[in-house]
Amino acid sequence: MSHISNGVEYALHCLLFLSGRPGGAREASVRDLADLQGLPADYMAKLFTKLSKAGLVRATEGVRGGFALARAPAAISVLDVVDAIDGGKALFECREVRQRCAVFEGNEPDWTGVPPCTIHAVMLSAEQRMREELARHTLADLAHRVATVTPPAYNQSVVTWLDTRAASKRPGRAES
Amino acid sequence: MSHISNGVEYALHCLLFLSGRPGGAREASVRDLADLQGLPADYMAKLFTKLSKAGLVRATEGVRGGFALARAPAAISVLDVVDAIDGGKALFECREVRQRCAVFEGNEPDWTGVPPCTIHAVMLSAEQRMREELARHTLADLAHRVATVTPPAYNQSVVTWLDTRAASKRPGRAES
DNA sequence: GCGATGTTACTCGGATACTAACTGTCCGAGTAAGCCAGG
DNA sequence: CCTGGCTTACTCGGACAGTTAGTATCCGAGTAACATCGC
């Protein structure tokens, strides 16, 4: 299992669609976002509730509701998304092996408890480097980089796909 | 589950004992090393075979056999140990979400395959930063730092523990 | 006394559970927007 | 014309199964060192 889960990737792709819409700040439903990318919709709903609790997106309820970014794309970093989805789990969990040393025979001295253990310190610094790199990139950066790769016709077709999808479903007794 | 497993921690602690022995290059059996630190011995044996395959330690078979470092402590980095135990697994696995976009309807264009996807690139750079930090620290560095924290009496008692342990078991019909 | 045999402790590798996390699905409750019927 | 009810599509949250990786244990095979036994 990779440390950064698939959920993070799913969420980032969806957030990119949300931030990439021209004119900004329009909202989209989870189901449309998931179907557009071939992702499991129910699972995405779970991920979006996590994003909402982290304050990255804002939900509007009811019919024609959906999610929109709660902040500007430039104010949301990849690290924010990773922490929101994966819960800020540690890269490494120290098991405090030093305290189990057989030489102590049950009563370990006080110097083994001093934080952090030497090996743990190395892992913490490595994790810090990783987090710094993730924090350097924002949704705006990613969206801009994606825009340089994708042809404009693709962006247009995505917009029309979402629009026709939104138009096809309307509340009330439409099909009766 | 943390990305850097407990096995890496176990291995690093054992390697520190191996590199910290004064006079260097003496060997110790897996069972002694495990019992000294209260670690599962059978599991440690598996980890040491991984270390051996990676060329970090050298095994001598038979009675009074054991493991010794294959290189100088200054020539073994924490990254070497992580890769040997955890198999160099990726921090993030790209699922190539772009190729599933519903707009394509089965026939994705060629530009989605260009490596790597924008999100993947960010994760790769973050992983690279982490690996650089892990590669900066060697066993010699760790051993030196540990030596500044632990009292000298502790090191002496560990040596005597290992020696008495080695002396208590001898082949042949010792206990008859 | 010297070589053959046996015992012991080690490495090596496979087979097998157990546990935890991630992934994905299903379902019910609550809410807002629009449509329709009745006053 | 206006108000109340109804339908719909959404969010929200819990419950649950499948898969995978890490953790841990057990066991058998092969090997080297040393003690003992037999010549």
mmCIF file of all heavy atoms in Angstrom, chain A residues 1-5 82-83 85-93 127 130-131, chain B residues 1-3, chain C residues 21-23:
data_model
loop_
_atom_site.group_PDB
_atom_site.id
_atom_site.type_symbol
_atom_site.label_atom_id
_atom_site.label_comp_id
_atom_site.label_asym_id
_atom_site.label_seq_id
_atom_site.Cartn_x
_atom_site.Cartn_y
_atom_site.Cartn_z
ATOM 1 N N MET A 1 0.857 -1.198 0.000
ATOM 2 C CA MET A 1 0.000 0.000 0.000
ATOM 3 C C MET A 1 0.888 1.241 0.000
ATOM 4 O O MET A 1 1.861 1.324 0.724
ATOM 5 C CB MET A 1 -0.862 0.006 1.255
ATOM 6 C CG MET A 1 -2.102 0.797 1.112
ATOM 7 S SD MET A 1 -3.358 -0.100 0.257
ATOM 8 C CE MET A 1 -3.610 -1.474 1.360
ATOM 9 N N SER A 2 0.509 2.148 -0.799
ATOM 10 C CA SER A 2 1.330 3.360 -0.810
ATOM 11 C C SER A 2 0.893 4.295 0.318
ATOM 12 O O SER A 2 -0.256 4.243 0.765
ATOM 13 C CB SER A 2 1.211 4.046 -2.169
ATOM 14 O OG SER A 2 0.033 3.662 -2.832
ATOM 15 N N HIS A 3 1.822 5.097 0.719
ATOM 16 C CA HIS A 3 1.569 5.993 1.850
ATOM 17 C C HIS A 3 0.532 7.043 1.490
ATOM 18 O O HIS A 3 -0.339 7.375 2.291
ATOM 19 C CB HIS A 3 2.878 6.663 2.269
ATOM 20 C CG HIS A 3 2.758 7.577 3.421
ATOM 21 N ND1 HIS A 3 2.964 8.920 3.338
ATOM 22 C CD2 HIS A 3 2.417 7.341 4.702
ATOM 23 C CE1 HIS A 3 2.773 9.464 4.529
ATOM 24 N NE2 HIS A 3 2.445 8.531 5.362
ATOM 25 N N ILE A 4 0.606 7.568 0.282
ATOM 26 C CA ILE A 4 -0.400 8.526 -0.196
ATOM 27 C C ILE A 4 -1.433 7.727 -0.986
ATOM 28 O O ILE A 4 -1.131 7.159 -2.023
ATOM 29 C CB ILE A 4 0.252 9.614 -1.058
ATOM 30 C CG1 ILE A 4 1.240 10.419 -0.196
ATOM 31 C CG2 ILE A 4 -0.792 10.525 -1.659
ATOM 32 C CD1 ILE A 4 1.950 11.510 -0.944
ATOM 33 N N SER A 5 -2.650 7.693 -0.496
ATOM 34 C CA SER A 5 -3.640 6.743 -0.998
ATOM 35 C C SER A 5 -4.263 7.205 -2.311
ATOM 36 O O SER A 5 -4.054 8.327 -2.762
ATOM 37 C CB SER A 5 -4.731 6.560 0.044
ATOM 38 O OG SER A 5 -5.405 7.782 0.263
ATOM 39 N N VAL A 82 -3.703 16.150 1.051
ATOM 40 C CA VAL A 82 -3.172 14.910 1.608
ATOM 41 C C VAL A 82 -3.567 14.777 3.081
ATOM 42 O O VAL A 82 -4.027 13.726 3.527
ATOM 43 C CB VAL A 82 -1.637 14.867 1.452
ATOM 44 C CG1 VAL A 82 -1.058 13.694 2.224
ATOM 45 C CG2 VAL A 82 -1.266 14.764 -0.021
ATOM 46 N N ASP A 83 -3.412 15.842 3.836
ATOM 47 C CA ASP A 83 -3.767 15.793 5.249
ATOM 48 C C ASP A 83 -5.265 15.612 5.435
ATOM 49 O O ASP A 83 -5.703 14.916 6.360
ATOM 50 C CB ASP A 83 -3.291 17.063 5.956
ATOM 51 C CG ASP A 83 -1.807 17.040 6.243
ATOM 52 O OD1 ASP A 83 -1.216 15.949 6.144
ATOM 53 O OD2 ASP A 83 -1.235 18.091 6.566
ATOM 54 N N ILE A 85 -7.387 14.037 3.462
ATOM 55 C CA ILE A 85 -7.841 12.694 3.097
ATOM 56 C C ILE A 85 -7.171 11.633 3.960
ATOM 57 O O ILE A 85 -7.835 10.775 4.541
ATOM 58 C CB ILE A 85 -7.537 12.420 1.611
ATOM 59 C CG1 ILE A 85 -8.276 13.423 0.729
ATOM 60 C CG2 ILE A 85 -7.931 11.002 1.250
ATOM 61 C CD1 ILE A 85 -9.771 13.312 0.788
ATOM 62 N N ASP A 86 -5.877 11.701 4.055
ATOM 63 C CA ASP A 86 -5.146 10.641 4.765
ATOM 64 C C ASP A 86 -4.978 10.930 6.249
ATOM 65 O O ASP A 86 -4.344 10.139 6.967
ATOM 66 C CB ASP A 86 -3.775 10.424 4.122
ATOM 67 C CG ASP A 86 -3.888 9.620 2.838
ATOM 68 O OD1 ASP A 86 -4.986 9.133 2.556
ATOM 69 O OD2 ASP A 86 -2.876 9.488 2.134
ATOM 70 N N GLY A 87 -5.486 12.046 6.710
ATOM 71 C CA GLY A 87 -5.513 12.290 8.149
ATOM 72 C C GLY A 87 -4.179 12.587 8.779
ATOM 73 O O GLY A 87 -4.004 12.376 9.965
ATOM 74 N N GLY A 88 -3.236 13.098 7.993
ATOM 75 C CA GLY A 88 -1.959 13.500 8.562
ATOM 76 C C GLY A 88 -1.230 12.378 9.264
ATOM 77 O O GLY A 88 -0.559 12.589 10.271
ATOM 78 N N LYS A 89 -1.355 11.188 8.735
ATOM 79 C CA LYS A 89 -0.678 10.054 9.369
ATOM 80 C C LYS A 89 0.833 10.166 9.210
ATOM 81 O O LYS A 89 1.324 10.710 8.230
ATOM 82 C CB LYS A 89 -1.162 8.751 8.752
ATOM 83 C CG LYS A 89 -0.762 8.591 7.305
ATOM 84 C CD LYS A 89 -1.341 7.319 6.732
ATOM 85 C CE LYS A 89 -1.053 7.262 5.239
ATOM 86 N NZ LYS A 89 -1.715 6.124 4.592
ATOM 87 N N ALA A 90 1.549 9.615 10.171
ATOM 88 C CA ALA A 90 2.997 9.754 10.186
ATOM 89 C C ALA A 90 3.638 8.819 9.174
ATOM 90 O O ALA A 90 3.124 7.733 8.887
ATOM 91 C CB ALA A 90 3.539 9.461 11.578
ATOM 92 N N LEU A 91 4.776 9.261 8.639
ATOM 93 C CA LEU A 91 5.536 8.434 7.705
ATOM 94 C C LEU A 91 6.120 7.231 8.412
ATOM 95 O O LEU A 91 6.315 6.173 7.827
ATOM 96 C CB LEU A 91 6.656 9.276 7.095
ATOM 97 C CG LEU A 91 7.500 8.665 6.005
ATOM 98 C CD1 LEU A 91 6.688 8.506 4.743
ATOM 99 C CD2 LEU A 91 8.709 9.538 5.738
ATOM 100 N N PHE A 92 6.351 7.384 9.702
ATOM 101 C CA PHE A 92 7.046 6.350 10.472
ATOM 102 C C PHE A 92 6.561 6.401 11.906
ATOM 103 O O PHE A 92 6.409 7.469 12.482
ATOM 104 C CB PHE A 92 8.563 6.593 10.412
ATOM 105 C CG PHE A 92 9.368 5.726 11.311
ATOM 106 C CD1 PHE A 92 9.638 4.409 10.967
ATOM 107 C CD2 PHE A 92 9.863 6.204 12.512
ATOM 108 C CE1 PHE A 92 10.398 3.609 11.794
ATOM 109 C CE2 PHE A 92 10.616 5.414 13.340
ATOM 110 C CZ PHE A 92 10.877 4.107 12.982
ATOM 111 N N GLU A 93 6.310 5.238 12.480
ATOM 112 C CA GLU A 93 5.881 5.182 13.872
ATOM 113 C C GLU A 93 6.961 4.522 14.711
ATOM 114 O O GLU A 93 7.268 3.353 14.525
ATOM 115 C CB GLU A 93 4.583 4.377 13.994
ATOM 116 C CG GLU A 93 3.352 5.142 13.558
ATOM 117 C CD GLU A 93 2.107 4.300 13.734
ATOM 118 O OE1 GLU A 93 2.020 3.588 14.757
ATOM 119 O OE2 GLU A 93 1.245 4.319 12.850
ATOM 120 N N GLU A 127 10.334 13.129 6.718
ATOM 121 C CA GLU A 127 8.922 13.434 6.519
ATOM 122 C C GLU A 127 8.728 14.941 6.343
ATOM 123 O O GLU A 127 7.916 15.383 5.521
ATOM 124 C CB GLU A 127 8.117 12.936 7.723
ATOM 125 C CG GLU A 127 6.636 13.192 7.585
ATOM 126 C CD GLU A 127 5.852 12.598 8.750
ATOM 127 O OE1 GLU A 127 6.485 12.043 9.671
ATOM 128 O OE2 GLU A 127 4.618 12.684 8.723
ATOM 129 N N MET A 130 9.458 15.952 2.844
ATOM 130 C CA MET A 130 8.371 15.551 1.953
ATOM 131 C C MET A 130 7.204 16.531 2.057
ATOM 132 O O MET A 130 6.663 16.984 1.050
ATOM 133 C CB MET A 130 7.916 14.146 2.324
ATOM 134 C CG MET A 130 6.782 13.630 1.475
ATOM 135 S SD MET A 130 6.054 12.144 2.189
ATOM 136 C CE MET A 130 5.200 12.818 3.616
ATOM 137 N N ARG A 131 6.843 16.878 3.280
ATOM 138 C CA ARG A 131 5.702 17.771 3.478
ATOM 139 C C ARG A 131 5.995 19.168 2.916
ATOM 140 O O ARG A 131 5.103 19.820 2.354
ATOM 141 C CB ARG A 131 5.356 17.849 4.960
ATOM 142 C CG ARG A 131 4.812 16.543 5.498
ATOM 143 C CD ARG A 131 4.590 16.613 6.999
ATOM 144 N NE ARG A 131 3.564 17.559 7.363
ATOM 145 C CZ ARG A 131 2.266 17.289 7.388
ATOM 146 N NH1 ARG A 131 1.859 16.091 7.086
ATOM 147 N NH2 ARG A 131 1.395 18.206 7.718
ATOM 148 N N MET B 1 -1.260 2.200 8.440
ATOM 149 C CA MET B 1 0.092 1.618 8.362
ATOM 150 C C MET B 1 1.061 2.713 7.901
ATOM 151 O O MET B 1 0.770 3.501 7.019
ATOM 152 C CB MET B 1 0.086 0.484 7.353
ATOM 153 C CG MET B 1 1.177 -0.486 7.569
ATOM 154 S SD MET B 1 0.798 -1.645 8.866
ATOM 155 C CE MET B 1 -0.654 -2.450 8.195
ATOM 156 N N SER B 2 2.162 2.708 8.533
ATOM 157 C CA SER B 2 3.109 3.743 8.117
ATOM 158 C C SER B 2 3.900 3.267 6.901
ATOM 159 O O SER B 2 4.067 2.058 6.690
ATOM 160 C CB SER B 2 4.053 4.088 9.270
ATOM 161 O OG SER B 2 4.077 3.053 10.217
ATOM 162 N N HIS B 3 4.346 4.208 6.151
ATOM 163 C CA HIS B 3 5.057 3.891 4.911
ATOM 164 C C HIS B 3 6.388 3.209 5.192
ATOM 165 O O HIS B 3 6.769 2.267 4.513
ATOM 166 C CB HIS B 3 5.278 5.177 4.113
ATOM 167 C CG HIS B 3 5.974 4.968 2.811
ATOM 168 N ND1 HIS B 3 7.215 5.472 2.546
ATOM 169 C CD2 HIS B 3 5.603 4.296 1.715
ATOM 170 C CE1 HIS B 3 7.569 5.119 1.334
ATOM 171 N NE2 HIS B 3 6.624 4.405 0.799
ATOM 172 P P DA C 21 -5.140 0.840 11.692
ATOM 173 O OP1 DA C 21 -4.316 1.835 12.388
ATOM 174 O OP2 DA C 21 -6.529 0.587 12.109
ATOM 175 O "O5'" DA C 21 -5.149 1.209 10.136
ATOM 176 C "C5'" DA C 21 -3.938 1.156 9.408
ATOM 177 C "C4'" DA C 21 -4.237 1.081 7.923
ATOM 178 O "O4'" DA C 21 -4.799 -0.204 7.620
ATOM 179 C "C3'" DA C 21 -5.248 2.122 7.451
ATOM 180 O "O3'" DA C 21 -4.662 2.918 6.441
ATOM 181 C "C2'" DA C 21 -6.437 1.307 6.943
ATOM 182 C "C1'" DA C 21 -5.817 -0.047 6.659
ATOM 183 N N9 DA C 21 -6.742 -1.175 6.818
ATOM 184 C C8 DA C 21 -7.518 -1.461 7.898
ATOM 185 N N7 DA C 21 -8.247 -2.542 7.749
ATOM 186 C C5 DA C 21 -7.935 -2.981 6.489
ATOM 187 C C6 DA C 21 -8.371 -4.083 5.736
ATOM 188 N N6 DA C 21 -9.260 -4.973 6.171
ATOM 189 N N1 DA C 21 -7.850 -4.240 4.492
ATOM 190 C C2 DA C 21 -6.959 -3.348 4.053
ATOM 191 N N3 DA C 21 -6.463 -2.281 4.667
ATOM 192 C C4 DA C 21 -7.003 -2.149 5.897
ATOM 193 P P DC C 22 -5.401 4.138 5.834
ATOM 194 O OP1 DC C 22 -4.397 5.198 5.664
ATOM 195 O OP2 DC C 22 -6.629 4.392 6.608
ATOM 196 O "O5'" DC C 22 -5.812 3.613 4.383
ATOM 197 C "C5'" DC C 22 -4.837 2.909 3.617
ATOM 198 C "C4'" DC C 22 -5.521 2.185 2.476
ATOM 199 O "O4'" DC C 22 -6.305 1.095 2.990
ATOM 200 C "C3'" DC C 22 -6.483 3.058 1.650
ATOM 201 O "O3'" DC C 22 -6.159 2.924 0.281
ATOM 202 C "C2'" DC C 22 -7.855 2.498 1.985
ATOM 203 C "C1'" DC C 22 -7.534 1.051 2.289
ATOM 204 N N1 DC C 22 -8.523 0.349 3.150
ATOM 205 C C2 DC C 22 -9.107 -0.840 2.705
ATOM 206 O O2 DC C 22 -8.798 -1.282 1.596
ATOM 207 N N3 DC C 22 -10.002 -1.486 3.495
ATOM 208 C C4 DC C 22 -10.307 -0.982 4.687
ATOM 209 N N4 DC C 22 -11.185 -1.658 5.431
ATOM 210 C C5 DC C 22 -9.727 0.220 5.167
ATOM 211 C C6 DC C 22 -8.840 0.849 4.368
ATOM 212 P P DT C 23 -6.859 3.836 -0.831
ATOM 213 O OP1 DT C 23 -5.931 3.959 -1.971
ATOM 214 O OP2 DT C 23 -7.388 5.020 -0.165
ATOM 215 O "O5'" DT C 23 -8.074 2.940 -1.308
ATOM 216 C "C5'" DT C 23 -7.815 1.643 -1.814
ATOM 217 C "C4'" DT C 23 -9.100 0.892 -2.062
ATOM 218 O "O4'" DT C 23 -9.699 0.519 -0.812
ATOM 219 C "C3'" DT C 23 -10.173 1.691 -2.819
ATOM 220 O "O3'" DT C 23 -10.378 1.100 -4.083
ATOM 221 C "C2'" DT C 23 -11.414 1.614 -1.916
ATOM 222 C "C1'" DT C 23 -11.088 0.455 -0.988
ATOM 223 N N1 DT C 23 -11.715 0.531 0.356
ATOM 224 C C2 DT C 23 -12.548 -0.474 0.757
ATOM 225 O O2 DT C 23 -12.817 -1.427 0.048
ATOM 226 N N3 DT C 23 -13.072 -0.322 2.020
ATOM 227 C C4 DT C 23 -12.826 0.722 2.897
ATOM 228 O O4 DT C 23 -13.346 0.744 4.015
ATOM 229 C C5 DT C 23 -11.934 1.744 2.429
ATOM 230 C C7 DT C 23 -11.610 2.902 3.294
ATOM 231 C C6 DT C 23 -11.429 1.595 1.195
#
